[in-house]
């Protein structure tokens, strides 16, 4: 007796064979999945395994039941399951194996989804045809069904078509920063474009999902195309009494090299308007990192604030404050004296003026000014001429010296320290560049104040040069000339000599008998 007949009294030999082949295929695919196909492929293959198992089970069921309707149903189920399993496997083979190998970047999700949808649609038509149902008939027999389906799918189809338009026209791509204008405008980085919507990641660290239909109607700014230098704008006002050109110079030099601001195209500023707040300025600069735009804009605003403050200029806003007191000569003097006392406290923190009588220190404090610097601003530049020195009141500064092998960090300066004294006292170019590392408050002393001081008390030049050399030795700031190495006294005399010559002091007034070094030369 035929073993197949024994196995299946109801079914044919072909059905038994097909069922067994399906079972075998499901087991083989399951093995592939278990033995390490890539994870993404695994998930997709699972659907095919389930379908093939349904197919095998349906055929198995046919062998077991005798009822004709149940047998027909199970047969149809097997056909449909097989058609879909076949379609999925064909799709996987074409897209995940063949196409994935030949392409470097993955296919856009919308293309994948649409191709998969079309293949499954063809499988559905074929399987319906195979089980004797004409798909065309299905659609035309129910006009009502068509109307309902059309209305329900209206938005979905609109999004799908818009998604396809985005893929063809490519107004933006995954990774671009875009702005969607409109009632609920958004700026974000495109993370995904699928058949229904586009996903943007915003600076709030959230995803915003914008339906493709909405994108098709909205105006879109793409910050990364045709190139990724995007312009930023900042507006501010100053008083009418301030010359605009002065503001231009101060602000432009303050924002060049600001973190995140591109060197080219160069930042620019225009006098933008005159209104009740004062003269309006428009600062324009370019950035290429939209993800940091808030931080970059903030840094530029900081620099504008600090630089205008240092120049003694103020922003102007519509102001309705009424000052109802009349400053008298006495109140003005008191305010001035308060400032002098404050600066005296700062000067008392450094030992450079230890030998000065209180009256002379007070005169220095009168002429000194307080200035503020933002982090990363350069206070003095190596090689430049300088007629000021600085006392650090707050903040930290880095000292950098240019060498043939590049810039070398030579240490940090903090509250209670001073710098810039060398150029001020000798007229020689700055020996180092000093850059603010945090917001800094500095006291500036001008050369003219020193000139008056030294004219009245030439003898203090000696103590000042001693203090400078002692400080240099203790901080190991500079390497003295080889012939002066290790001879602190000789270095002091050498510096005293340079100061004396520069300020035109007589040798006997400062207590030296002769000169040791040639006059300073101009390196430029
Ligand atoms: P000046 O040469 O006027 O300008 C740069 C200033 O940096 C210098 O005076 C010193 O006050 C200070 N400075 C601190 N460290 C160094 C250093 N290692 N080399 C040179 N100058 C230094």
């Amino acid at each position: 007796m035929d073993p197949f007949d024994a196995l299946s009294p109801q079914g044919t030999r072909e059905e038994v064979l097909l069922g067994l082949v399906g079972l075998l295929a499901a087991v083989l695919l399951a093995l592939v999945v278990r033995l390490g196909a890539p994870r993404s492929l695994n998930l997709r293959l699972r659907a095919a395994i389930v379908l093939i198992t349904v197919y095998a089970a349906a055929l198995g069921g046919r062998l077991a039941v005798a009822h004709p309707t149940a047998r027909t149903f199970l047969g149809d189920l097997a056909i449909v399951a097989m058609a879909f399993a076949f379609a999925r496997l064909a799709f996987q083979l074409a897209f995940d194996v063949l196409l994935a190998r030949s392409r470097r970047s993955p296919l856009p999700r919308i293309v994948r989804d649409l191709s998969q949808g079309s293949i499954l649609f063809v499988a559905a038509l074929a399987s319906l045809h195979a089980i004797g149902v004409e798909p065309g008939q299905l659609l035309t027999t129910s006009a009502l069904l068509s109307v309902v389906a059309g209305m329900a799918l209206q938005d979905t189809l609109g999004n799908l078509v818009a998604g396809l338009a985005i893929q063809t026209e490519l107004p933006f791509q995954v990774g671009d920063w875009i702005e969607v204008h409109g009632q609920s405008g958004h700026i974000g980085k495109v993370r995904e474009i699928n058949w229904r919507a586009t996903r943007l990641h915003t600076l709030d660290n959230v995803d915003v999902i914008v339906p493709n239909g909405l994108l098709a109607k909205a105006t879109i700014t793409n910050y990364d195309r045709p190139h990724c230098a995007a312009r930023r704008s900042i507006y501010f006002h100053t008083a009418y009494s301030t010359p605009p050109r002065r503001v231009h110079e101060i602000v432009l030099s303050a924002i060049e090299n600001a973190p995140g601001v591109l060197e080219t195209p160069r930042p620019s500023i225009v006098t933008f308007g005159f209104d009740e707040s004062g003269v309006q300025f428009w600062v324009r600069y370019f950035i290429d990192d939209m993800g940091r735009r808030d931080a970059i804009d903030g840094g530029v605003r900081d620099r504008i604030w600090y630089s205008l403050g240092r120049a003694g200029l103020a922003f102007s806003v519509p102001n309705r404050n009424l000052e109802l007191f009349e400053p008298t000569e006495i109140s003005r003097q008191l305010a001035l004296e308060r400032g002098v006392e404050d600066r005296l406290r700062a000067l008392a923190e450094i030992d450079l003026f230890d030998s000065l009588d209180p009256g002379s220190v007070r005169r220095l404090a009168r002429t000194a000014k307080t200035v503020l610097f933002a982090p990363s601003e350069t206070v003095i530049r190596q090689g430049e001429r300088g007629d000021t020195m600085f006392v650090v009141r707050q903040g930290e500064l880095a000292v950098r010296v240019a060498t043939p092998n590049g810039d070398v960090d030579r240490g940090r300066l903090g509250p209670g320290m001073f710098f810039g004294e060398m150029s001020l006292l000798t007229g020689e170019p700055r020996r180092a560049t000093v850059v603010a590392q945090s917001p800094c408050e500095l006291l500036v002393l001008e050369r003219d104040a020193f000139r008056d001081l030294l004219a009245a008390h030439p003898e203090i030049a000696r103590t000042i040069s001693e203090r400078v050399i002692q400080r240099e030795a203790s901080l190991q700031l500079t390497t003295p000339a080889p012939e002066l190495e290790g001879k602190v006294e000789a270095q002091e005399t050498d510096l005293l000599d340079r100061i004396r010559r520069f300020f035109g002091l007589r040798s006997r007034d400062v207590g030296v008998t002769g000169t040791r070094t040639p006059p300073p030369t101009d390196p430029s």
Side-chain angles (χ1 to χ4, degrees), residues 145-375:
L145 191 71
S146 314
V147 172
V148 172
M151 280 172 56
L153 289 177
Q154 200 178 20
D155 281 349
T156 315
L157 286 177
N159 285 331
L160 181 75
V161 173
L164 279 177
I166 291 172
Q167 287 298 336
T168 341
E169 198 191 319
L170 287 181
F172 54 80
Q173 287 177 26
V174 173
D176 287 358
W177 273 92
I178 63 166
E179 178 170 3
V180 184
H181 299 267
Q183 257 183 348
S184 57
H186 294 287
I187 303 185
K189 189 175 190 162
V190 179
R191 271 162 70 122
E192 186 189 82
I193 308 164
N194 63 35
W195 60 271
R196 195 193 76 78
T198 295
R199 184 186 292 265
L200 305 181
H201 192 73
T202 73
L203 278 195
D204 296 340
N205 203 21
V206 293
D207 277 359
V208 174
I209 292 125
V210 189
N212 290 335
L214 214 77
L215 278 180
K217 288 185 207 133
T219 307
I220 295 169
T221 305
N222 188 336
Y223 291 105
D224 286 307
R225 273 156 223 280
H227 42 68
C228 50
R231 191 171 82 171
R232 310 289 298 165
S233 297
I234 286 177
Y235 301 88
F236 67 92
H237 287 84
T238 64
Y240 277 109
S241 54
T242 310
R245 288 286 157 178
R246 188 144 174 250
V247 176
H248 289 194
E249 269 170 31
I250 292 168
V251 169
L252 280 182
S253 78
I255 65 174
E256 68 185 19
N257 305 329
V261 172
L262 294 183
E263 275 176 32
T264 43
R266 292 177 68 77
S268 59
I269 178 170
V270 288
T271 308
F272 193 59
F274 303 102
D275 56 36
E276 55 165 5
S277 302
V279 183
Q280 191 183 25
F281 294 92
W282 177 18
V283 181
R284 297 89 58 90
Y285 51 92
F286 289 80
I287 66 172
D288 61 2
D289 186 356
M290 283 302 283
R292 284 185 51 232
R293 66 185 183 279
D294 290 347
I296 298 173
D297 294 348
V300 170
R301 285 191 199 99
D302 288 350
R303 286 198 170 205
I304 295 175
W305 188 92
Y306 278 103
S307 60
L308 289 182
R310 275 201 301 280
L313 305 178
F315 293 103
S316 71
V317 287
N319 198 337
R320 302 202 189 284
N321 285 352
L322 290 181
E323 292 194 18
L324 291 177
F325 73 93
E326 190 184 349
T328 62
E329 192 48 40
I330 297 176
S331 65
R332 226 176 268 131
Q333 276 305 322
L334 274 176
L336 274 179
E337 276 312 307
R338 265 200 299 276
V340 173
E341 290 299 329
D342 181 49
R343 297 196 285 275
L344 265 178
R345 275 195 292 280
L347 291 182
E349 279 177 32
I350 58 172
D351 60 3
L352 188 65
F353 306 119
D354 277 359
S355 61
L356 293 192
D357 61 283
S360 302
V361 185
R362 181 168 283 273
R363 268 196 295 284
L364 273 185
R366 276 221 172 86
T367 54
K369 275 193 305 185
T370 300
V371 290
L372 304 177
F373 279 86

Side-chain angles (χ1 to χ4, degrees), residues 380-382 386 388 399-401 410-411 413 418-425 428-434 471-472 475-478:
I380 54 179
R381 257 201 193 84
Q382 186 172 354
T388 45
V399 181
R400 292 189 190 128
V401 177
R410 296 300 294 267
L413 299 167
F418 61 88
F419 62 94
E421 74 295 341
M422 273 298 181
S423 295
L424 175 129
L425 290 170
E428 292 161 14
R430 300 283 193 202
R431 295 174 308 164
T433 297
V434 179
R471 167 191 179 250
E472 295 219 333
L475 295 179
Q476 296 183 329
L477 294 188
T478 45

Side-chain angles (χ1 to χ4, degrees), residues 4-12 15-16 19 55-72 74-75:
F4 282 108
D5 293 343
L7 194 66
S8 144
Q10 335 282 349
T12 64
E15 277 175 351
V16 178
Y55 162 79
L59 282 188
R62 257 174 79 86
L63 303 183
V65 294
H67 194 284
T69 320
R71 279 179 58 80
T72 315
L74 286 171

